Amino acid sequence: MRSLLNTYQKPIITICLSVFFSLVMNVGDAQAFFQDTSMQDETSYKQYRGEVLDSKTNDPLVFASLVLEGTNISTVTNTEGTFLLKVPNTIENGNVVISFLGYRNKSIPLAQLSEDKNKIELDVSVTTLSEVNISAPKNALALVKETLRRKGENYYNNPALMTAFYRETIKKRRRNVSLAEAVVNIYKTPYTSSRKDVVKLYKARKNTDYSKLDTVALKLQGGPFNALYVDLMKYPDFIFTPESIEDYKFTYDRSTTINDRLIYVIDFKQRSNILEPLYAGKLFIDADKKVLTSAVFSLNITNRDMASRMFVRRKPRNARVYPTQIAYRVDYRERDGRWYYGYSNALLEFKINWDRKLFNSVYSMTCEMAVTDWEENLGEIPKSKDRLKSTIILADEAIGFSDPDFWGEFNIIEPEKSIESAIRKIQRQLKRAKSDRSTSP
């Protein structure tokens, strides 16, 4: 059996997805409001808001992609199915392509979209039983290995400069207590290169309501790297190394069609004789080109103590902390026959049991990142001092929430209504705290 130490040394576990628990020393500290209007020009773009729904059930489609055809401009829907798409005024014509896994794409002329209240319905893509029986792969493991092997011919293999929007949130049970957001530049290296991607922070902001954090402040180490390293085709060794891939059992689940493209759904889970925590999930693979188009997976946390050691870096002595859910998702997009990283998210849920306390605390930490624009990188690489480190804590780098036009022309993931309410409430609290300090003798 492989050494547990080798498993724990994977960056996606011990570096990028570590959680810090530390005592709050100054609960009443209020952040200064960050004002940045240097890149804003309200006349340079148009924005379109709306929602993407299932045409039959009217349910919101979470993380559906919207891409302006012929460009690299894109965004995704939030957990309520709503979206915000910003398009430069220089682009007057074109089609917005809306896609969601398991549904048929829909193309809508840009001229037909209104600035607000767009309701877009997608139809489920149906596969007949005969197609499933005929198309089933004979060897699921061999299919996965071939998919990984063919990344050089299927994925964008030139250096790219990507603009991405990143968000991380912390909730205590169902209540938002912290939100941090950033626009980052990703200097994406070729998929066949062993060099890691470089990230540069462009602008960031945060809000935290420390009054809801009990006696601890939770901090997510890694920032955008948490989402970036979920790119399985660029970083397969974080899950499927040449040795560890044999520790998984791969099985064919079903077939589906997405825009007349046949997709194999492959299930994977760790073998019963493997004791260390590994992953389980689904891989969505294009049957013809052998392209991984999407993946969803989660960590086996049956062994709480072992899983806790993988994530918790520091905590109070009188607290026992262990994860209750660790889950990931990555989606890829296609342009001109080549695929590239488009969106990913991670969910970490923890329970804190306190000594001599009747009730426990439950926190969830989520992060997500969406590529909103990209172009070929002609050689620009930031200097070392300007690069984000994989150990960054974004909440420590960001300053505070500013005016509603903070992000200017950048495409962002539309906030949830609950998050928007939390932001307004926190802002009022910070203003009151600032006012109290200014009037105190």
Side-chain angles (χ1 to χ4, degrees), residues 129-382:
L129 183 61
S130 60
E131 288 179 299
V132 174
N133 291 339
I134 293 173
S135 65
K138 296 180 180 179
N139 188 321
L141 174 58
L143 173 64
V144 173
K145 287 184 176 181
E146 183 179 2
T147 300
L148 295 173
R149 186 169 57 248
R150 293 176 63 172
K151 65 181 179 180
E153 61 186 88
N154 287 328
Y155 292 81
Y156 194 75
N157 212 26
N158 291 323
L161 174 57
M162 296 178 166
T163 300
F165 174 76
Y166 172 80
R167 170 184 292 146
E168 62 183 46
T169 62
I170 298 176
K171 293 184 178 182
K172 180 183 178 183
R173 299 197 183 273
R174 297 183 179 180
R175 303 183 66 178
N176 289 291
V177 297
S178 181
L179 172 64
E181 299 177 329
V183 170
V184 297
N185 292 327
I186 303 173
Y187 297 80
K188 194 78 173 166
T189 59
Y191 273 83
T192 54
S193 172
S194 60
R195 291 183 294 115
K196 292 184 178 180
D197 301 325
V198 174
V199 180
K200 181 179 179 180
L201 183 67
Y202 176 64
K203 55 170 68 172
R205 60 181 184 174
K206 71 166 183 180
N207 261 128
T208 302
D209 186 355
Y210 289 111
S211 66
K212 294 187 177 66
L213 283 174
D214 292 332
T215 59
V216 299
L218 283 70
K219 296 182 180 181
L220 180 63
Q221 179 180 323
F225 290 96
N226 288 325
L228 187 59
Y229 285 166
V230 184
D231 181 356
L232 290 185
M233 294 307 298
K234 175 63 178 175
Y235 304 101
D237 287 354
F238 290 161
I239 296 182
F240 302 133
T241 66
E243 298 79 21
S244 69
I245 198 169
E246 302 294 338
D247 293 339
Y248 289 94
K249 181 179 180 181
F250 295 87
T251 56
Y252 168 76
D253 178 18
R254 67 185 189 278
S255 294
T256 185
T257 56
I258 301 177
N259 304 312
D260 299 323
R261 177 185 286 120
L262 184 63
I263 301 293
Y264 294 142
V265 183
I266 303 298
D267 287 342
F268 68 94
K269 63 180 180 180
Q270 67 185 83
R271 296 185 180 277
S272 57
N273 63 313
I274 303 300
L275 300 181
E276 62 231 58
L278 297 180
Y279 298 89
K282 296 181 182 294
L283 306 174
F284 297 81
I285 299 175
D286 181 290
D288 180 33
K289 300 294 185 179
K290 307 301 184 290
V291 177
L292 179 68
T293 64
S294 185
V296 291
F297 52 99
S298 58
L299 182 69
N300 176 9
I301 55 173
T302 303
N303 189 320
R304 290 181 174 180
D305 292 335
M306 190 176 294
S308 178
R309 291 197 298 270
M310 294 165 63
F311 288 91
V312 180
R313 183 65 59 85
R314 189 170 68 242
K315 66 179 183 65
R317 292 183 178 180
N318 63 332
R320 287 176 291 116
V321 183
Y322 55 88
T324 56
Q325 184 180 6
I326 307 292
Y328 310 90
R329 171 181 175 145
V330 60
D331 294 327
Y332 296 91
R333 298 173 184 157
E334 180 188 19
R335 185 180 180 190
D336 299 330
R338 292 277 185 163
W339 294 74
Y340 62 96
Y341 165 76
Y343 173 82
S344 63
N345 65 42
L347 165 65
L348 300 85
E349 185 177 88
F350 290 85
K351 181 174 288 188
I352 306 176
N353 288 329
W354 298 94
D355 293 345
R356 299 179 181 179
K357 284 190 178 182
L358 181 61
F359 301 102
N360 55 38
S361 300
V362 177
Y363 291 95
S364 61
M365 310 176 75
T366 61
C367 68
E368 57 184 337
M369 187 160 65
V371 173
T372 58
D373 199 0
W374 66 274
E375 60 186 10
E376 186 172 343
N377 186 6
L378 300 179
E380 179 186 357
I381 297 293

Side-chain angles (χ1 to χ4, degrees), residues 101-141:
L101 192 64
Y103 288 72
R104 293 191 177 277
N105 283 8
K106 176 171 286 189
S107 180
I108 300 177
L110 189 62
Q112 293 184 10
L113 291 177
S114 62
E115 293 184 2
D116 203 1
K117 298 182 180 179
N118 293 285
K119 184 177 181 181
I120 301 173
E121 297 180 341
L122 299 185
D123 299 323
V124 174
S125 178
V126 179
T127 304
T128 63
L129 183 61
S130 60
E131 288 179 299
V132 174
N133 291 339
I134 293 173
S135 65
K138 296 180 180 179
N139 188 321
L141 174 58

Side-chain angles (χ1 to χ4, degrees), residues 89-100:
N89 285 333
T90 54
I91 302 177
E92 298 181 355
N93 300 310
N95 297 319
V96 177
V97 179
I98 303 94
S99 60
F100 187 75

